[in-house]
Structure formats: structure tokens, C-alpha cells
Amino acid sequence: MVPGMRTIDLSASTGPIGLDKIGLRRPLLDSSLLEETVKNILEEVKTRGDEAVRKFTLQFDKAAITELQVSANEIGQAQNNIGADLKQAIAAAKKNIEKFHASQLNAEKKVETVSGIECWRKSVPIEKVGLYIPGGTAPLFSTVLMLGIPAKIAGCSEIILCSPPGTDGNLDAAILYTAELVGITKIFRIGGVQAIGAMAYGTTSIPKVHKIFGPGNQYVTCAKQLVQKQGIAIDLPAGPSEVAIYADETAIPAFVAADLLSQAEHGVDSQVILVTHQSEAANAVMTELVRQLADLPRKNVAARALENSWIILVKNENHAVTLLNDYAPEHLILACAEADRVAERIVNAGSVFVGHYSPESAGDYASGTNHTLPTNGFAKAFSGVSTDSFVKKITFQKLTREGLANIGKTVEVMAEAEGLRAHALAVSVRMSN
Amino acid sequence: MVPGMRTIDLSASTGPIGLDKIGLRRPLLDSSLLEETVKNILEEVKTRGDEAVRKFTLQFDKAAITELQVSANEIGQAQNNIGADLKQAIAAAKKNIEKFHASQLNAEKKVETVSGIECWRKSVPIEKVGLYIPGGTAPLFSTVLMLGIPAKIAGCSEIILCSPPGTDGNLDAAILYTAELVGITKIFRIGGVQAIGAMAYGTTSIPKVHKIFGPGNQYVTCAKQLVQKQGIAIDLPAGPSEVAIYADETAIPAFVAADLLSQAEHGVDSQVILVTHQSEAANAVMTELVRQLADLPRKNVAARALENSWIILVKNENHAVTLLNDYAPEHLILACAEADRVAERIVNAGSVFVGHYSPESAGDYASGTNHTLPTNGFAKAFSGVSTDSFVKKITFQKLTREGLANIGKTVEVMAEAEGLRAHALAVSVRMSN
């Protein structure tokens, strides 16, 4: 129906059909081909620090940098290059994101598991975190909000931000402005593998952090995977961005088409999926999609993304839900009647947009939810970024002498059965005291 | 004081001193040396499935296996080989672990971020999880409780368990008995890299899972790191187990010595750290430690672990707390007066044992807390296993037409500034409808 987009008709199938059976794959790049290159850059950053960072910044970003850190003066100047409309929009988005992410802080109660034994968990901020914000064709200042706000709410004491400079060595004003607004002032004009390496190992100028967040190209993604193997936490495994839309006869074709395109314009490796049991609805959406595509500034990007994309005709809602849970989309839009009821049936997705007036772009920018989400089916096991991502939970326990007596025999018997005598001894010396 | 254990006296230092400055390192193995071997085994399991699993089980475990899955009959027989005392102990531990892990399930409220916009998160069980239980010298049935109970409480629908067989092809009865008690019945007699590969990729006999849990030797650890790079979630990065104890003049030397030894007996690569500002206390602990060590069945293991271990004399509580947070111990025992107050100052640790009657072995087995914890300083960014580890959180949002109107301008302005016109269009087509 749309050039490049594949259609598959499963509507005559009597049972749900697995994605592997229909040959639906993610447009995934094999990062193992880059691994050697990325390893070498990381190694050089680890051993030669700032000097290596400057060298690679010149090599890859064509920028000759003396001061890696952006000065307070430069950050302060950024506001002069941002229009009043945009300032107001960023402030409005910030307020909503803060409200939703603040609601994620939950104090847990102490639990008396046995008389004399209290156990509890405490959320404690990860002290040092690094945020990576890609440069390139679009300055993603919205991602500064999505990572910076929960980091601040969690209470991380050191938050640094790295972003690749233009050839003039400068960062985008909207990124600097948004960072300052959120309260991030340690900003470095470095990108790519060298930025990930600098944050993972630390250099003279750039502090080592405990966890690295943020999207990036395939080199950045590969670098994050490699430092993760060395015990540096990362936010999420990465893959190309994607949306799946479930549309029924109540769906409005122009809405669905705009939602498909707003995902498709992200990048040539995006994937969009339309699932419906209404072939008329699919046809109407495709007519709209062709019409809307023609006017888009990024129509070439979107058109290439559509080549990775699928229209899937299913028999009924049950088959649609099974297929969607199998796909585990990063974004899932439920453009159907009784969207609330269908939402209850979703078990694998990053973020779900319920009903006709909930476009993905609302969550991408301003509704309050986070837009850093699991792609590539990772939603089967991973959650999107939230305030949780910036804390770890420490377990505590306090036993009285009586409490230990209440479980003493249990510990001793189990420890002996596992062949660990000293574990038993740690109880018995206390009991005989 | 104890053969092999290093003592360092920082008590004259006027400020806290970083661990890197005193040369304290974890006894960590470099898994990159094994990587090629592990990669090849994984690859063969991926391509040749059960056949490869059987081949490696014969090669590494010296067991010729036909049926990879343990039969219901074998599982049922296990109870005949477990004493009544042990059954009672396992039941008691199970009850406490269930109570604490059930308390970790929290329903979150819907948040109205703006009039007409509701955002919320829902915890959803990870459908398929795999638990790895090491074999070898000690059958770790306690780990079956620590992984199986939160998996069940979370509501994971498919829970499988892999453990390496003895040369006769059988699994330890205590492992089978505990698994059945927890409600896990899909048990496979396979271990090592081949088990991790089978769970990551799936074979004819062994289901593919979305997340893999459990401790293991350096080959298993390396395999988990490699499949993680391919997007399979894992519980935690692994390192040797460790305890740090902060002791003051109120500490009872026999208690502290037993706690140090109960960690040291785990493995030759364990590390134990005693931090105190009382050199008399340190001396008394060491005298006790030498005495208790002599009687341990695993004294050779413990003695070798003590060679990785340190006694650190500090000036005062402040220096101790700084050093402990820098070390970020897996287990931290506060054997001091005002342990509650000191506990409040801990920001990096896996699990904290507060006061003189809270030995690590209580948490290892029966108090209710989980014993799968971040080692190797990973507690700076990672939490131990909990019910959270078996769920992911899906974000939902529902906007009314009015709700979308309330943020429409914000979305449009931000999308245009990021060069993403279709994102803006997804709002404007809805507003003009």
C-alpha cells in the first residue's frame, strides 16, 4: 500500500501466530563488527585520559578543543539564544515530568519477619551519574529533561553531561539552556566512544561515574555494552526506536498515520507496525500516510524507515494482543474502543498510549512520562528509565538477641547442610554468650 | 596478626583516605582470558541445541545425559533423602523470605500531571525467567529459596532451574526438594556455560528465557556477561563475595571473628575487611579468629581467603564511614554502639547488618532478606535481588482531548525545535479534528 511497507494478512488464521513465523525482524545492526574499533578507543581513553579524548574529538567531531568542560559563562549565555516560546514549552514539560517522576519515590516500611527481626530497604541515590546527549542532526534537549529530572529528584550528588560539539567546539544552546534549568552544570563538549570511556574510567577533567545513561549511535551503544561488561551500570540495552499501533474501526486514519510517521521520522532504522483486524481501516490509514508523508521535512528519513515497517491484518483482538505482547514494542498506541480494557491485557511494552487522544509525541515531550524506553523486544525484561533508575536499594536488618534465637536453629541446620560451619558458628557463639 | 592478612594503620591520618591510595583491590579474575572459550561454547549451543548441551555436559561434568529435564518422579523422590530437621529449617526460612519479598510489591497510583492527562506505571511479571544454581562442593539450596520465592511472588509464569549434575547425572536432593517446595518443576540437569546458553537461546528441551539469575564460577559469569550483551537481562554483574565489619570498643571479638570466617569460608576468592579505630579490638578479634579457624572443616579455603583480606585501623567513625562507602561492601556488619545511627550514614552497600546480634549468616539463610547481592563495589549502582528483579514496570498514559489541548502547544514547539515535524503533526491533526 505504501512503497516499501510490507503487509501481511493473518486474518484467516485460526490461532495467534508468532512473529518469528512471519519473518518480522527488527532492523538491528550487528555491533560486533565495530567492537574492535570501539575497544581500542576505550583503551586509549583509559590509559591516556584527556589527551586521548581531545585527539578523538578532533578526529571524529572535527573540533579542536582545549577546555573540555563548558564554562559557566557559556552556559549562562545559552538563554540568549532561545526564544520565549521554547523557554515556556521547556518549563511546562519540566513541570509535568517532575510531577510524575516525584511520584515514583516510595519509602518502604520496616517488616518484622519474625519477632525480634526487622528487615527493610532504603532507596539511596547513585552518587555519580553521567548523561549522554547525542548531537547530530537534531539537538535532543528533551532527553536532557528525561534524564536530568529523575537524576535530580533521586538526589544524585554528581550529575555530569556529555554531548558532542559542533566543528566550532560549541554545544547546542537548547541543550545548555535545558541542562542549566534542570540544575546540571558539569557539562563536557565531548561525544562518541570517547565520552563513554571518559565517564566510565574518569580522566583529569572528567569524573568517573557509576552509571551511564542516554541514547547514541551504534558506536556509543557498543561502548556502553563494553563498559557494562566491566561493571559500569548502564540505563538500557539499545536498539532502533519503534512504535506499534493497534487500530480498530473507531480509529481515525489521520491520527494513526501521523503517529506512524512521528516514529518513522526519528531515523532510517526506526520500525513502525500497524496491527488491525479491519482492512478498510488499514487502507484508510495508508492513504493518509502517503498524503502526510509528502509534506514532511524529514520525508526521506521517514520513507526509509517505512521500508522496515509492517501492516499486519489479524483476525480479532485476541490475536492482536498476543502478537503485540510477542513484539513487546517500545511504544504502543491503542487506537481502539475500550482502550482501557485492552491496556489491561498488555504485558510487554515500554510505554502504552491509551485511546485516540494519546499520541506518542505527548509522552516524547510533555505528558510527564519518560521517553527513554526499552526497544528491540527488551520490554519483555526491562523497564524504561524512571526515578528508580537513579537509585539503588540497600537492604538492612536488625536482630535482637531474641530474634536471632528465633531463627538460630534454622540457620545452623541449613549452614551445616551446605557445608558452611562458620556460618553456623556465627549464630552459636552469639547464643552461648 | 593473622598469617596472610594485611594490616594497615591509618589512625594517624588527619582526613579520610581513598581505597585506591592504600592499594586495596578486590581479588578479581580477568574473565577476558576465558572469553574466547566461552563464546565458542555459547555459539555451539545456539546452533546445535540439545546435542551441544549433552556434549558439553559429558565433557565438563563427566555425566552422560539422555533426558535433560529432571522427571516429576525424581523430583518427588527427593523428599525421601532430606532429614526432618532440614525440612523444618527450609520451611521456616521460606516463610520469612516470603514475608519480606511480598512486602516489596507496591501498587502505584495514577498521577494527573495536567488536567485531562493521567500517567501511571504498572509492575508486570517477567514472563520467563531462568535460575542457575551452582553445583560443586556445596549444594546451594538456599539460593533456590532466594531466587525462586521472589520469582513466584512476582508472578513469573515460566520459571526454569538449571544446575549441573554429578557424574551419575543426578542433582542434589536438597536442591530438588527446595525447588518443588517453592513451586518450580521445570528443572534441568545442566550447568556451566552450556546452561546459560540454553536459557539464553532456547533449545528443543530448554525454553528460552528473558532474564537469567544466579551465581556461578568464572565461566558462568563470563557467559552471563556475553548473553547480556545480546540483550538477555541478567540479575547482577558478579564478583567474589565479601564482608566488611565496622567494630568499635563494644564489639565482641568472638562474634566478629565468626562473622569474618563465615565469609572467608565461602571461597578462596572471598575478601573480608575489618575496619576499626580500636587497635585493642582488632587484636582481640585476631586472637579469636586464629582460634576459631583451627576447628573449621573448610579452614584451608578460609585461610586462603584471609590472604585477600585486610584489617584497617582508622582514626574515628567519620573516616570509617567514608572508607566503607568507598569500598561499597556486599555485606556490611555494624558491630558498634549506636549501630542504628551509623546505618543512616551508609550510602553504598548491598545489605547492612545492624548491631551485635545481626550476623551475616542470618541474612544468608533465614531472616527474610535476599542473599543475592552486588559484590565488587557494584553496590554503588546496583541493588541486590528482590521482587523488583522479577518484574518490569510499564508506563501508561491516557489523555482526553482537553488534556492533549493543554500540552499541545508545548509538544509542537519542542518538536519543531528538535526538527521533528510529524511529532507536532500528531498533535495538530487531533486538535483540528
Side-chain angles (χ1 to χ4, degrees):
Chain A
M1 304 181 186
V2 170
M5 229 175 149
R6 273 162 285 188
T7 303
I8 185 158
D9 188 345
L10 308 174
S11 59
S13 164
T14 51
I17 292 186
L19 290 175
D20 49 341
K21 294 274 187 338
I22 61 175
L24 197 162
R25 297 272 178 283
R26 255 88 172 183
L28 206 61
L29 289 164
D30 180 2
S31 75
S32 67
L33 301 170
L34 324 165
E35 201 169 301
E36 213 46 45
T37 309
V38 173
K39 253 186 194 163
N40 291 338
I41 298 172
L42 287 176
E43 193 53 38
E44 196 168 332
V45 171
K46 190 176 184 177
T47 52
R48 297 183 49 241
D50 286 343
E51 198 188 333
V53 171
R54 286 197 189 89
K55 177 189 122 174
F56 292 120
T57 304
L58 184 60
Q59 184 176 335
F60 298 123
D61 299 314
K62 314 293 176 207
I65 305 288
T66 313
E67 281 301 322
L68 298 175
Q69 186 166 352
V70 179
S71 70
N73 186 44
E74 279 171 275
I75 298 172
Q77 289 296 318
Q79 61 176 318
N80 304 328
N81 299 310
I82 310 289
D85 263 16
L86 184 53
K87 282 181 183 167
Q88 210 177 329
I90 291 171
K94 177 171 177 277
K95 192 176 156 203
N96 300 343
I97 298 165
E98 280 173 348
K99 188 165 181 184
F100 187 54
H101 287 76
S103 78
Q104 294 162 5
L105 285 174
N106 281 312
E108 289 181 54
K109 292 203 181 77
K110 291 188 180 183
V111 177
E112 191 177 54
T113 52
V114 170
S115 174
I117 303 183
E118 273 191 331
C119 304
W120 68 100
R121 297 196 299 170
K122 191 167 86 172
S123 288
V124 179
I126 298 173
E127 286 177 277
K128 301 175 185 198
V129 297
L131 316 183
Y132 184 84
I133 306 296
T137 50
L140 296 182
F141 56 86
S142 60
T143 304
V144 179
L145 296 174
M146 294 295 176
L147 300 177
I149 290 171
K152 276 287 170 187
I153 288 173
C156 302
S157 51
E158 179 147 82
I159 305 170
I160 69 170
L161 187 153
C162 290
S163 190
T167 51
D168 59 359
N170 292 330
L171 293 192
D172 179 80
I175 289 177
L176 293 179
Y177 172 78
T178 309
E180 189 181 34
L181 192 71
V182 170
I184 300 170
T185 51
K186 275 197 177 173
I187 303 173
F188 299 91
R189 51 180 111 250
I190 60 171
V193 177
Q194 59 274 21
I196 303 301
M199 293 194 279
Y201 309 126
T203 69
T204 308
S205 305
I206 301 142
K208 173 181 163 55
V209 301
H210 305 313
K211 190 166 184 178
I212 297 174
F213 294 79
N217 64 20
Q218 52 180 329
Y219 289 89
V220 169
T221 296
C222 180
K224 283 173 68 184
Q225 286 175 336
L226 291 175
V227 300
Q228 181 185 32
K229 259 182 53 186
Q230 296 158 27
I232 305 295
I234 66 170
D235 48 356
L236 281 172
S241 193
E242 67 211 10
V243 70
I245 303 182
Y246 173 54
D248 70 3
E249 59 280 5
T250 69
I252 294 123
F255 297 8
V256 177
D259 292 342
L260 291 170
L261 287 174
S262 65
Q263 183 58 57
E265 74 174 346
H266 263 294
V268 296
D269 58 356
S270 286
Q271 183 170 63
V272 307
I273 307 279
L274 174 64
V275 179
T276 181
H277 48 84
Q278 293 284 325
S279 62
E280 302 79 6
N283 288 329
V285 168
M286 289 307 123
T287 305
E288 264 297 323
L289 191 142
V290 171
R291 201 180 61 73
Q292 292 182 17
L293 179 64
D295 292 334
L296 285 187
R298 289 169 70 89
K299 66 182 163 193
N300 294 334
V301 170
R304 283 189 53 199
L306 293 176
E307 292 173 16
N308 307 319
S309 298
W310 293 67
I311 300 156
I312 305 175
L313 298 173
V314 292
K315 188 171 182 175
N316 54 34
E317 181 191 299
N318 278 343
H319 290 198
V321 167
T322 303
L323 187 140
L324 290 165
N325 281 325
D326 190 13
Y327 183 66
E330 179 189 11
H331 307 96
L332 172 62
I333 300 176
L334 300 175
C336 58
E338 300 187 66
D340 290 298
R341 189 184 50 73
V342 177
E344 289 291 329
R345 305 184 64 190
I346 300 305
V347 296
N348 294 321
S351 201
V352 182
F353 298 78
V354 183
H356 301 303
Y357 284 91
S358 306
E360 184 198 315
S361 55
D364 282 347
Y365 289 113
S367 63
T369 60
N370 209 289
H371 76 196
T372 308
L373 295 165
T375 56
N376 195 37
F378 296 138
K380 289 181 180 173
F382 292 89
S383 315
V385 165
S386 69
T387 307
D388 303 346
S389 312
F390 294 89
V391 301
K392 71 266 180 180
K393 293 192 175 180
I394 303 179
T395 313
F396 293 81
Q397 63 200 282
K398 185 175 184 183
L399 287 76
T400 61
R401 194 176 190 287
E402 179 222 5
L404 183 59
N406 285 336
I407 60 164
K409 178 94 190 295
T410 298
V411 172
E412 287 174 346
V413 170
M414 290 176 75
E416 288 288 351
E418 289 193 346
L420 299 172
R421 175 77 53 82
H423 282 66
L425 194 66
V427 175
S428 57
V429 293
R430 283 172 167 89
M431 290 298 100
S432 63
N433 190 46
Chain B
M1 304 183 186
V2 170
M5 233 178 143
R6 275 161 283 190
T7 303
I8 185 159
D9 188 346
L10 307 175
S11 59
S13 164
T14 51
I17 291 185
L19 290 175
D20 49 340
K21 295 273 188 339
I22 61 175
L24 196 162
R25 297 271 177 281
R26 255 89 173 182
L28 206 61
L29 289 164
D30 180 2
S31 75
S32 67
L33 302 171
L34 324 165
E35 201 168 303
E36 212 47 42
T37 309
V38 173
K39 253 186 193 163
N40 291 338
I41 298 172
L42 287 176
E43 193 54 37
E44 197 168 332
V45 171
K46 190 176 185 178
T47 52
R48 296 181 52 239
D50 286 344
E51 199 188 330
V53 171
R54 286 198 190 86
K55 178 189 123 177
F56 292 120
T57 304
L58 184 59
Q59 183 175 334
F60 299 122
D61 299 313
K62 315 293 177 207
I65 305 288
T66 314
E67 282 301 322
L68 298 174
Q69 186 167 352
V70 179
S71 70
N73 185 46
E74 278 171 274
I75 298 173
Q77 290 296 319
Q79 61 177 315
N80 303 326
N81 299 311
I82 310 290
D85 263 17
L86 184 53
K87 281 181 184 167
Q88 211 179 328
I90 291 172
K94 177 170 177 278
K95 193 177 154 200
N96 301 343
I97 298 165
E98 281 173 347
K99 188 165 181 184
F100 187 54
H101 287 76
S103 79
Q104 294 163 4
L105 285 173
N106 280 312
E108 289 181 54
K109 291 204 183 77
K110 291 187 179 182
V111 177
E112 190 178 56
T113 52
V114 171
S115 173
I117 303 182
E118 272 191 334
C119 303
W120 69 100
R121 296 195 301 169
K122 191 167 84 172
S123 288
V124 179
I126 298 172
E127 285 177 278
K128 301 175 185 197
V129 297
L131 316 183
Y132 185 82
I133 306 295
T137 48
L140 295 182
F141 57 86
S142 61
T143 304
V144 179
L145 295 174
M146 295 296 176
L147 300 177
I149 291 171
K152 276 286 171 186
I153 288 174
C156 302
S157 51
E158 178 148 86
I159 306 170
I160 69 170
L161 186 154
C162 290
S163 190
T167 52
D168 58 359
N170 293 330
L171 294 191
D172 179 80
I175 289 177
L176 293 179
Y177 172 78
T178 309
E180 189 182 33
L181 192 71
V182 170
I184 300 169
T185 52
K186 275 197 176 172
I187 304 173
F188 299 91
R189 50 179 111 251
I190 61 172
V193 177
Q194 58 274 23
I196 303 301
M199 292 194 279
Y201 310 126
T203 70
T204 308
S205 304
I206 300 142
K208 172 182 163 58
V209 302
H210 304 313
K211 189 166 184 176
I212 297 173
F213 295 79
N217 64 20
Q218 51 179 330
Y219 289 91
V220 168
T221 297
C222 179
K224 282 173 69 185
Q225 286 175 335
L226 290 176
V227 301
Q228 181 185 32
K229 258 182 55 187
Q230 296 159 28
I232 305 293
I234 65 170
D235 49 356
L236 281 171
S241 194
E242 66 210 12
V243 70
I245 303 182
Y246 173 54
D248 70 5
E249 59 280 7
T250 69
I252 294 124
F255 296 9
V256 176
D259 291 342
L260 291 170
L261 288 174
S262 65
Q263 183 58 56
E265 74 174 345
H266 263 295
V268 296
D269 59 355
S270 285
Q271 184 171 62
V272 308
I273 307 280
L274 174 64
V275 179
T276 182
H277 48 86
Q278 293 284 325
S279 61
E280 302 79 5
N283 289 330
V285 167
M286 290 307 123
T287 304
E288 264 296 324
L289 191 140
V290 171
R291 202 180 60 74
Q292 293 182 16
L293 179 64
D295 292 333
L296 285 188
R298 289 170 69 90
K299 64 182 165 193
N300 294 334
V301 170
R304 283 191 53 199
L306 292 175
E307 292 173 17
N308 307 319
S309 298
W310 294 66
I311 300 156
I312 305 175
L313 298 173
V314 291
K315 188 170 184 175
N316 54 32
E317 181 191 300
N318 278 345
H319 290 198
V321 167
T322 302
L323 187 140
L324 290 165
N325 281 326
D326 190 13
Y327 183 66
E330 180 190 12
H331 307 96
L332 172 61
I333 301 175
L334 300 175
C336 57
E338 300 187 66
D340 289 299
R341 189 184 49 73
V342 177
E344 289 290 328
R345 304 184 64 190
I346 299 304
V347 295
N348 294 321
S351 202
V352 183
F353 299 79
V354 184
H356 300 304
Y357 284 90
S358 305
E360 183 197 318
S361 57
D364 282 347
Y365 289 113
S367 64
T369 60
N370 209 289
H371 76 196
T372 308
L373 295 165
T375 55
N376 194 37
F378 297 140
K380 289 181 179 172
F382 292 89
S383 315
V385 165
S386 70
T387 307
D388 303 346
S389 312
F390 294 88
V391 302
K392 71 268 181 178
K393 292 193 175 178
I394 303 178
T395 313
F396 293 82
Q397 62 200 283
K398 186 176 183 182
L399 287 76
T400 60
R401 194 177 191 287
E402 178 223 4
L404 184 59
N406 285 335
I407 60 165
K409 177 94 190 293
T410 298
V411 173
E412 287 174 348
V413 170
M414 290 177 75
E416 288 288 352
E418 289 193 347
L420 298 173
R421 174 77 54 82
H423 282 66
L425 194 65
V427 174
S428 58
V429 293
R430 283 172 167 89
M431 290 298 100
S432 63
N433 189 47

